[in-house]
Amino acid sequence: MRTMKAAVSRAQTKGSTRASRAVKKTVGRYNADPDMLIQILLDLQTTLGWLSPGVLADVSEQLGVPVSRVYHIASFYKAFSLVPRGRHIIKVCMGTACQVRGAPQLVNVIASMLNMKPGETSEDRRFTLETVNCLGCCAMGPVIAVDGVYHSKPTTEDLRSIFKGAR
Amino acid sequence: MTDMNDNRLSSAKQLETLRKTILSKRDAEKPIITVCTGTACQAYGSLEIYRRFVEELERQGVEGSVLETKSTGCHGFCEQGPVVVIFPREICYVRVQLDDVPEIVSTTVAGGDVIERLVYRDPNTQEAIPKESDIPFYKRQMRLVFGNNRYIDPREIDDYIALGGYAALSKALLRMTPGEVLEEIKESNLRGRGGGGFPAGLKWETTRDASTGSKYVIVNCDEGDPGAYMDRSIMEGNPHAVLEGLVIGAYAIGSHDGFVYVRQEYPIAYENTMNAIDQARDYGLLGSDILGSGFDFEVVVHRGAGAFVSGESTALMSAIEGKVGEPRMKYIRTAVSGVKGMPTCLNNVETWANVPLIIERGAGWFKSIGTEGSKGTKIFSLVGKVNNTGLVEVPMGMTLRQLIYDIGGGIPQGKKFKAVQTGGPSGGVLPEQYLDTPIDFDELTGLGSMMGSGGMVVMDEDTCMVDTARYFVSFCCDESCGQCIPCREGLRTLRDILTDICEGKGKGGDIEAIEDIAEVMEDASLCALGGTAANPVLTTLKYFRDEYEAHIKENRCPAEACKALTSYYVDPAKCSACMICLRACPTEAIHGEKGIVHWIDQEKCIKCNTCYEVCPTRFSAVRRLSGEPLPPPPAPGTKVTREKKR
């Protein structure tokens, strides 16, 4: 938890130069069009992994949009993270099709194997465990996506090797 | 001007010439290998299989005898992925692995023989069915909108044009007036495939007549209903069909600017849409003076950032303006005042994809399919506890039984059908007695459920109906934007009550409280999502009230699914001490060793059902107990008593 707080406070005092460059480039790609605010934040989330207060302030300034609106959007949508996330993102699908095929049990299994709850990032920032509403590949359920790679009906053994492979 | 390139088509004749040129380069006799690279097949490794085919053809020196190796969008039979189909003989191989590729190339592609091992087998008759369209799953479908997916590389506009793509656009722009196009759609009685089933033609007309200023058209691909993925598969697998429909609609309405709104959870759909737009623009099928008609149209793609409520039309339009996607009251319809206060016509992916078909073949043809009030076909995502899961397109009016048993192949592992959930979080569950109901917009609404976007989640005896209601309510609770009290507080209270019931803490009066809250939510919520959010609760109560009562009065979950009311127990008389459950248990809660009866440490057990699933059926030693006391574990070191089979 301490490392995360440190990262947040660093980002608060001064946006890192990498983040500042990314903001400038992304805003430029959308011609600084305020209508494209959500699209810009999505790209930054992908590039940087999270949206620091410094990044939000930079976006607000460069688009001429109040920071309150930028923050409203960043906190409303699920795709955005306002805290640093883990190196590996585990998404467990909780769509209805996965639900009836045992997704709740699967989340429990993963949570107990990694000793963390859904929504949490591990202290060493190796994993972030998330539940998502539907990944749209219902025939494979229950399904998880680890760093964008889908795994269908993973067994305990599969999970052990997936997690072991994600350093 | 950069858009004055050589590829631009500026007449119907040039489009037709291009189509003939594409076809003339194709030898109909030569095999085409298609590898499904829809999301599900990709997850099973189909991209590597595709690459392996390209390498292997070269390695075996037979690439000259093959016309093309194609990666296509979703075929729909996701349960059997990765799927490989070899045309023109349409030989279909299922669950293909990387190591099968050399053999397919040498035996089928070069040798012309079918590999029995890779062919689909009917699970009931064991009959091997080599031809894709003979497989019962496909045979009973009518794949008008979805069927071209299997012939098309979604990244190649030429594939779409070869099949007659954009001919409807050419007909509409060059041989029909906008009024005639609108009349054709109205006449066809095409109803919106996204949820409510509102007649598309009327929506178009309202937008057209609204004012003389700018107007917008929108493709809604923010498919948020959990359990439905047809829009994803169309947008990924045949994006040009949607674009063509959109441009035709824009022409009828008099709009020159459109948007495609895609969920960010669908990265392939986004990429393929962007690519399709570039290619269409290159051919002059988007942009200025489309096909020399004088009609201009541009389209911009927006990604949704993950909010179910943003699929609601007013919320989606706010998101397109770069604002938070929250719904507003619809005193004025979005068809009159939508994006930036301008008239805006929004339809979902499947609705737009139907438009070129109607223009090309006529409203009369379209009306010949379906039921009195619901014309055409509908794509359903048939998922959950059903053998053949996947996407199926059938004429409106097919019964639930035909869909689940004839196409879906029934319930796996001989379990008993309990209910089918239609319409996502706004829909409801229907029990066995309604299996012979014809599926259309009005029939489903009449039973308290709805068509929605076409999710069809099959549930068997292991699914708890109270837990299902709790699931949908907590889904909506998480997704409620929180603006209006009936939805925000109503859902929260419903979730608390339902959670209590699932945890054995239900009490008298709970059911009545649920009904009261549901009524208020239905009457007083701001948008349709809140207004319909109680439907799953009300239908489960209507059809499965006894399950609610068993939870409340007997502390028993009849489906043995609710964790707090269910325990797992290894029957010492049946356990063979085979160590299978012991090894599979993720929390190491099972004790024992070879020859020593296993037992479950209830403190450590997280009730994940793994032991129950892995225990070999010939032993069936793991039992689930609900509403009855748990027997004590066997004395430590109890030896196996089960008699060995001779």
Side-chain angles (χ1 to χ4, degrees):
Chain A
M1 211 50 217
R2 197 177 305 138
T3 48
M4 212 181 287
K5 270 190 190 142
V8 172
S9 80
R10 262 201 312 282
Q12 262 162 345
T13 46
K14 191 174 184 292
S16 73
T17 47
R18 177 173 167 252
S20 302
R21 271 202 308 272
V23 173
K24 206 170 166 192
K25 212 171 132 190
T26 312
V27 169
R29 195 163 58 236
Y30 288 96
N31 304 319
D33 180 356
D35 284 4
M36 289 305 200
L37 174 56
I38 297 171
Q39 307 305 306
I40 290 166
L41 293 180
L42 276 171
D43 285 0
L44 288 170
Q45 171 74 42
T46 310
T47 318
L48 302 171
W50 69 296
L51 302 175
S52 66
V55 165
L56 297 182
D58 284 356
V59 169
S60 149
E61 198 184 301
Q62 291 180 31
L63 282 181
V65 169
V67 74
S68 59
R69 204 177 117 204
V70 179
Y71 184 78
H72 189 186
I73 285 175
S75 58
F76 179 81
Y77 289 104
K78 290 210 169 65
F80 304 124
S81 173
L82 298 174
V83 288
R85 297 202 299 171
R87 294 192 296 284
H88 303 287
I89 313 287
I90 304 163
K91 292 181 178 178
V92 187
C93 181
M94 300 302 282
T96 322
C98 291
Q99 165 81 17
V100 304
R101 288 191 182 182
Q105 290 88 341
L106 184 60
V107 178
N108 267 337
V109 168
I110 294 172
S112 69
M113 283 171 81
L114 298 176
N115 197 20
M116 57 198 281
K117 290 198 195 79
E120 285 183 354
T121 296
S122 60
E123 268 194 40
D124 56 3
R125 288 190 50 198
R126 188 169 151 209
F127 292 113
T128 295
L129 176 60
E130 292 174 347
T131 55
V132 293
N133 282 333
C134 185
L135 289 168
C137 39
C138 311
M140 305 168 58
V143 63
I144 64 169
V146 180
D147 299 331
V149 179
Y150 294 66
H151 301 273
S152 169
K153 306 174 190 124
T155 62
T156 310
E157 206 43 55
D158 294 340
L159 291 171
R160 281 183 190 132
S161 85
I162 293 166
F163 299 151
K164 216 173 149 190
R167 283 278 121 208
Chain B
M1 290 279 287
T2 47
D3 60 321
M4 284 308 201
N5 59 51
D6 297 330
N7 293 331
R8 276 186 74 91
L9 306 167
S10 50
S11 67
K13 202 173 161 219
Q14 285 184 11
L15 174 67
E16 187 52 23
T17 310
L18 171 67
R19 193 173 73 87
K20 285 185 178 146
T21 314
I22 298 166
L23 287 175
S24 70
K25 289 181 196 155
R26 298 186 173 184
D27 180 347
E29 299 295 309
K30 277 192 179 178
I32 299 174
I33 304 166
T34 65
V35 182
C36 175
T37 51
T39 297
C41 284
Q42 265 198 36
Y44 289 128
S46 71
L47 273 180
E48 287 77 37
I49 291 175
Y50 168 75
R51 287 187 208 110
R52 188 69 178 269
F53 265 110
V54 176
E55 284 166 26
E56 197 59 31
L57 288 167
E58 198 185 321
R59 202 184 65 81
Q60 296 192 20
V62 292
E63 71 266 39
S65 65
V66 174
L67 187 67
E68 207 178 345
T69 309
K70 221 188 253 306
S71 66
T72 70
C74 179
H75 293 216
F77 206 4
C78 307
E79 182 77 31
Q80 298 285 331
V83 176
V84 173
V85 183
I86 297 155
F87 292 97
R89 288 175 60 201
E90 223 188 285
I91 299 166
C92 175
Y93 291 140
V94 297
R95 294 196 174 138
V96 174
Q97 299 300 307
L98 262 184
D99 296 343
D100 298 326
V101 173
E103 191 185 346
I104 297 176
V105 170
S106 60
T107 308
T108 309
V109 178
D113 293 325
V114 172
I115 305 167
E116 285 281 319
R117 169 172 57 86
L118 298 172
V119 164
Y120 173 79
R121 263 174 208 285
D122 189 305
N124 301 317
T125 62
Q126 290 307 311
E127 183 198 352
I129 307 170
K131 195 173 172 189
E132 189 179 34
S133 49
D134 286 342
I135 296 173
F137 176 79
Y138 292 111
K139 209 174 178 174
R140 294 184 174 87
Q141 295 189 41
M142 184 187 260
R143 296 165 39 107
L144 303 175
V145 177
F146 197 50
N148 280 345
N149 268 29
R150 64 196 189 122
Y151 304 116
I152 289 177
D153 179 338
R155 288 157 294 272
E156 294 295 339
I157 189 172
D158 283 2
D159 279 7
Y160 183 65
I161 291 175
L163 292 173
Y166 288 107
L169 177 67
S170 157
K171 180 178 174 183
L173 293 188
L174 302 167
R175 293 176 13 221
M176 294 169 84
T177 64
E180 284 166 353
V181 174
L182 179 65
E183 280 311 312
E184 198 71 30
I185 298 301
K186 271 172 72 182
E187 175 61 23
S188 74
N189 197 15
L190 171 68
R191 294 172 70 172
R193 264 60 174 156
F198 192 81
L202 287 182
K203 215 183 211 179
W204 292 19
E205 191 172 40
T206 312
T207 310
R208 184 193 67 177
D209 296 344
S211 73
T212 49
S214 307
K215 296 180 167 94
Y216 298 103
V217 283
I218 300 179
V219 177
N220 183 355
C221 186
D222 190 41
E223 184 177 46
D225 273 14
Y229 64 112
M230 61 289 290
D231 288 349
R232 166 180 210 158
S233 292
I234 300 173
M235 213 67 227
E236 282 181 8
N238 194 358
H240 286 288
V242 183
L243 289 179
E244 187 181 2
L246 183 70
V247 186
I248 293 171
Y251 173 70
I253 290 164
S255 157
H256 302 286
D257 293 287
F259 300 96
V260 181
Y261 190 86
V262 190
R263 298 176 79 193
Q264 58 94 27
E265 289 90 334
Y266 291 179
I268 304 175
Y270 174 70
E271 278 166 32
N272 289 0
T273 306
M274 296 295 275
N275 178 64
I277 288 172
D278 285 347
Q279 291 184 339
R281 196 175 284 131
D282 189 45
Y283 274 149
L285 298 165
L286 279 176
S288 56
D289 193 19
I290 295 171
L291 285 170
S293 66
F295 179 69
D296 307 333
F297 183 71
E298 272 300 343
V299 61
V300 174
V301 182
H302 280 252
R303 282 163 296 165
F308 177 67
V309 73
S310 291
E312 198 274 344
S313 60
T314 56
L316 189 149
M317 291 176 199
S318 295
I320 281 179
E321 295 170 11
K323 298 181 187 137
V324 159
E326 288 176 341
R328 62 161 173 79
M329 283 302 268
K330 286 194 213 172
Y331 299 117
I332 305 172
R333 287 182 185 281
T334 52
V336 175
S337 175
V339 173
K340 299 183 177 167
M342 294 303 180
T344 306
C345 178
L346 172 142
N347 282 124
N348 91 325
V349 170
E350 193 183 341
T351 315
W352 288 118
N354 267 288
V355 169
L357 297 173
I358 296 169
I359 294 302
E360 211 184 334
R361 304 191 203 178
W365 163 82
F366 189 76
K367 275 164 65 182
S368 70
I369 304 159
T371 61
E372 185 58 37
S374 308
K375 299 298 181 191
T377 59
K378 178 77 192 82
I379 307 176
F380 292 99
S381 78
L382 186 59
V383 296
K385 301 288 189 69
V386 61
N387 275 313
N388 301 330
T389 46
L391 293 177
V392 299
E393 182 177 352
V394 294
M396 297 273 192
M398 185 175 259
T399 66
L400 286 165
R401 189 186 302 279
Q402 287 169 321
L403 195 67
I404 294 166
Y405 286 89
D406 297 348
I407 295 176
I411 317 299
Q413 294 160 12
K415 299 247 178 185
K416 201 171 162 324
F417 171 88
K418 184 185 261 184
V420 56
Q421 205 281 342
T422 73
S426 306
V429 299
L430 299 173
E432 199 175 2
Q433 73 228 55
Y434 295 113
L435 274 179
D436 293 308
T437 305
I439 312 160
D440 74 4
F441 287 109
D442 310 313
E443 290 277 352
L444 291 178
T445 308
L447 295 174
S449 184
M450 67 187 283
M451 177 85 85
S453 57
M456 189 125 321
V457 186
V458 182
M459 300 173 177
D460 69 5
E461 56 191 285
D462 289 342
T463 313
C464 171
M465 289 295 124
V466 187
D467 187 52
T468 301
R470 186 203 53 79
Y471 163 77
F472 280 112
V473 164
S474 41
F475 174 88
C476 291
C477 205
D478 289 345
E479 295 292 345
S480 171
C481 72
Q483 287 185 96
C484 74
I485 292 170
C487 173
R488 185 185 67 219
E489 298 305 320
L491 283 168
R492 202 178 323 195
T493 316
L494 279 184
R495 182 178 64 179
D496 290 348
I497 297 175
L498 290 167
T499 306
D500 276 354
I501 298 178
C502 287
E503 289 177 354
K505 293 182 253 170
K507 52 190 184 302
D510 276 355
I511 294 181
E512 291 72 20
I514 290 173
E515 286 167 339
D516 275 355
I517 295 166
E519 198 183 322
V520 174
M521 285 174 59
E522 196 177 336
D523 290 343
S525 292
L526 187 149
C527 80
L529 296 181
T532 56
N535 275 352
V537 189
L538 291 177
T539 50
T540 47
L541 251 182
K542 185 169 166 194
Y543 300 121
F544 298 96
R545 202 181 184 95
D546 54 330
E547 287 202 19
Y548 281 80
E549 283 167 353
H551 282 76
I552 297 171
K553 293 180 186 157
E554 302 165 38
N555 274 344
R556 179 173 66 87
C557 173
E560 296 161 356
C562 288
K563 269 170 60 177
L565 299 180
T566 307
S567 305
Y568 287 78
Y569 172 70
V570 182
D571 188 340
K574 287 183 172 175
C575 179
S576 285
C578 66
M579 308 280 288
I580 291 177
C581 63
L582 196 145
R583 287 199 193 98
C585 177
T587 56
E588 296 172 358
I590 304 180
H591 300 271
E593 53 189 277
K594 266 263 175 254
I596 303 293
V597 164
H598 303 345
W599 61 278
I600 299 172
D601 181 346
Q602 300 294 332
E603 295 284 307
K604 277 190 180 173
C605 175
I606 57 167
K607 300 175 184 179
C608 66
N609 208 42
T610 304
C611 52
Y612 185 83
E613 277 167 15
V614 299
C615 182
T617 46
R618 62 184 189 280
F619 305 142
S620 296
V622 179
R623 286 173 57 199
R624 291 189 302 220
L625 303 174
S626 184
E628 53 181 304
L630 187 71
T638 304
K639 294 228 168 63
V640 171
T641 52
R642 188 191 157 93
E643 281 184 28
K644 286 244 165 70
K645 263 197 185 156
R646 305 199 185 272

